[in-house]
Amino acid sequence: AVSGQYPPGSTYKVVVAAAALEEGLIQPDTKFHCNGSFELGSRSYRCWKRHGHGTVNLHRALVESCDVYFYHLGKMLGVDRLASYAKRFGLGSPTGIDLPREKCGLVPTKEWKLAKRKEPWSLGETIPVSIGQGFNLTTPLQLATVYGALANGGALFRPRIIKQIEAADGKIVKEFPVEKKGVLGFRPETIVMINAGLWGVVNE
């Protein structure tokens, strides 16, 4: 949970949705057509649903996890703008949990690739990043804090294992208070829209 680093996959789509809404690139009723693939240059990026989802808005894209919808958003946002929102969610940094050997994951940027791979970033690499693939790495605990922030209305908390230490007689020796690390700073309607989509994932 704290030291395993994995591509977050479709769980990352809430970050992309929040970025596109906050940047004003889309409205909740903005639609894209999914025929099962997204074309960029000579490359075709597949949706998980072979024959596509048809024309979908953001709510349906979240409910059905339409890859093509989020490919469009990733292209519009660009990797660096997307990275800035991922970092606002706490990705790319340790959560600060009271456990050793916590890893920080990876939020890719143009600067990171140039420094690490000595190669410039290409637009084609942004497309898989927009559905949580590519160079993206997160820990399960980081994703828990992402979804916790959406569930509570936008606050990021430091996760803890220990609430308090008690002596044998029940006397409290030390308490570890709740620690708020920051806030997402999104418009309330952005969080409401995303949470409605997540509710729809399991109820629609």
Side-chain angles (χ1 to χ4, degrees), residues 28-200:
D29 59 353
T30 299
K31 297 180 176 69
F32 293 106
H33 185 75
C34 170
N35 63 2
S37 66
F38 176 85
E39 310 302 323
L40 182 68
S42 60
R43 181 88 184 268
S44 181
Y45 298 83
R46 302 295 302 176
C47 185
W48 70 264
K49 192 172 185 180
R50 183 177 179 83
H51 299 295
H53 293 90
T55 300
V56 291
N57 61 14
L58 180 58
H59 182 79
R60 293 315 309 168
L62 284 168
V63 169
E64 300 183 31
S65 196
C66 174
D67 293 333
V68 167
Y69 193 96
F70 289 92
Y71 292 152
H72 281 284
L73 300 192
K75 182 183 176 184
M76 294 162 72
L77 284 160
V79 68
D80 285 347
R81 194 156 41 164
L82 188 47
S84 72
Y85 279 88
K87 290 173 182 177
R88 282 170 72 170
F89 273 102
L91 299 179
S93 302
T95 66
I97 193 171
D98 44 339
L99 285 172
R101 295 183 293 279
E102 184 182 15
K103 296 288 178 62
C104 61
L106 173 62
V107 174
T109 62
K110 291 178 181 177
E111 184 181 16
W112 167 83
K113 191 189 176 195
L114 203 56
K116 192 76 175 176
R117 302 289 181 95
K118 311 300 183 202
E119 295 173 353
W121 188 270
S122 68
L123 178 58
E125 291 171 310
T126 305
I127 306 307
V129 165
S130 64
I131 62 163
Q133 303 294 341
F135 296 114
N136 274 326
L137 290 175
T138 58
T139 67
L141 184 64
Q142 284 176 324
L143 284 175
T145 62
V146 166
Y147 278 78
L150 289 171
N152 70 38
L156 288 162
F157 291 95
R158 177 182 175 182
R160 289 196 183 277
I161 294 294
I162 301 171
K163 181 180 179 181
Q164 63 190 36
I165 298 172
E166 298 177 5
D169 61 2
K171 183 180 178 181
I172 297 173
V173 177
K174 185 175 182 179
E175 289 185 284
F176 297 86
V178 173
E179 185 180 331
K180 189 175 180 179
K181 293 179 64 180
V183 294
L184 296 177
F186 299 159
R187 296 188 304 266
E189 52 267 34
T190 293
I191 295 177
V192 168
M193 176 68 203
I194 292 171
N195 285 346
L198 294 174
W199 186 91

